[in-house]
Structures are given as structure tokens and as C-alpha cells.
């Protein structure tokens, strides 16, 4: 029960950095804790087994990020909404986009604390 409570708490603690991967390649790193003006990022590329170009449009604000638009067929990444950190990344499987959270409060230091 204690472990579940700690996991829920860590899932909601804001992260400092996001790392954005397309096809497994790091494309951008954003310090979301330092964002003072909202901005957008267009992540484009083709999936390795396709010649079609696909895209995800990310919106970034102070302390949070979301996929605002994408051409993926299911739109799960869009429905995930704003994320400010935690243990779970933002993932768009059809477009092979992954946004991870790192830094203070991201939950990545759980193993070090648990020992």
C-alpha cells in the first residue's frame, strides 16, 4: 500500500526536462521548468517502413507539454493532454514519437531511493 501511494505521488510531481525522440533518435531536449513564453514544436519524419511523412505538433508551456495535433489514426497522444512529468511518457506509437520526463521530481530516481 505504501509503494502504491509513493508511486501515485511521484507520478504527479513535475519534471524539469523533457526529451523528445522520433524513431528512437533524440530530436529535442526542453527545460520545461524554464519556459517563460509558450511555444510549439513540429516533429516531422517518416516511419522507417513507410515513405509517408507524419507529424506531431507539441505545445510547451511553463512546466508542461502536450501533443496538440498529430496525423496518427488513433489520436491517443492528443487525448493524453497536458503532462508535467511523472513516470509515464507521452507516446505516439503510429508516428514513433516518445516524450520522456527527467530531472528533479521525474520519478527516475526511484530505484536509487528504494536501494
Amino acid at each position: 500500500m505504501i509503494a502504491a501511494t509513493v508511486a501515485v505521488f511521484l507520478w504527479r510531481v513535475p519534471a524539469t526536462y523533457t526529451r523528445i525522440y522520433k524513431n528512437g533518435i533524440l530530436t529535442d531536449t526542453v527545460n520545461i521548468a524554464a519556459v517563460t513564453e509558450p511555444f510549439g514544436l513540429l516533429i516531422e519524419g517518416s516511419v522507417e517502413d513507410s515513405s509517408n511523412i507524419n507529424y506531431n505538433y507539441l505545445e510547451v508551456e511553463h512546466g508542461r507539454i502536450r501533443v496538440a495535433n498529430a496525423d496518427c489514426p488513433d489520436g491517443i497522444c492528443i487525448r493524453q493532454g497536458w503532462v508535467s512529468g511523472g513516470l509515464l511518457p507521452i507516446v505516439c506509437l503510429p508516428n514513433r514519437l516518445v516524450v520522456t520526463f527527467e530531472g528533479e521530481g521525474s520519478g527516475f530516481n526511484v530505484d536509487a531511493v528504494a536501494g
Side-chain angles (χ1 to χ4, degrees):
M1 184 65 167
I2 294 173
T5 303
V6 170
V8 169
F9 173 74
L10 289 174
W11 186 25
R12 296 172 188 245
V13 175
T16 304
Y17 291 94
T18 62
R19 298 204 190 282
I20 302 164
Y21 296 88
K22 176 72 173 184
N23 292 326
I25 299 168
L26 180 65
T27 61
D28 286 291
T29 300
V30 179
N31 182 345
I32 59 174
V35 172
T36 57
E37 293 291 324
F39 64 93
L41 289 171
L42 180 62
I43 309 297
E44 293 182 299
S46 62
V47 178
E48 293 146 0
D49 59 354
S50 171
S51 61
N52 295 331
I53 301 295
N54 54 58
Y55 74 91
N56 294 81
Y57 182 75
L58 304 169
E59 290 182 344
V60 183
E61 292 183 356
H62 177 73
R64 64 188 195 161
I65 189 170
R66 73 174 178 162
V67 177
N69 199 353
D71 65 348
C72 57
D74 56 15
I76 292 172
C77 57
I78 298 168
R79 289 192 302 275
Q80 191 170 355
W82 289 103
V83 181
S84 59
L87 299 174
L88 299 176
I90 297 173
V91 177
C92 180
L93 285 177
N95 291 351
R96 296 189 183 170
L97 174 84
V98 177
V99 180
T100 63
F101 299 91
E102 299 179 15
E104 185 176 330
S106 66
F108 284 99
N109 297 326
V110 172
D111 288 339
V113 173

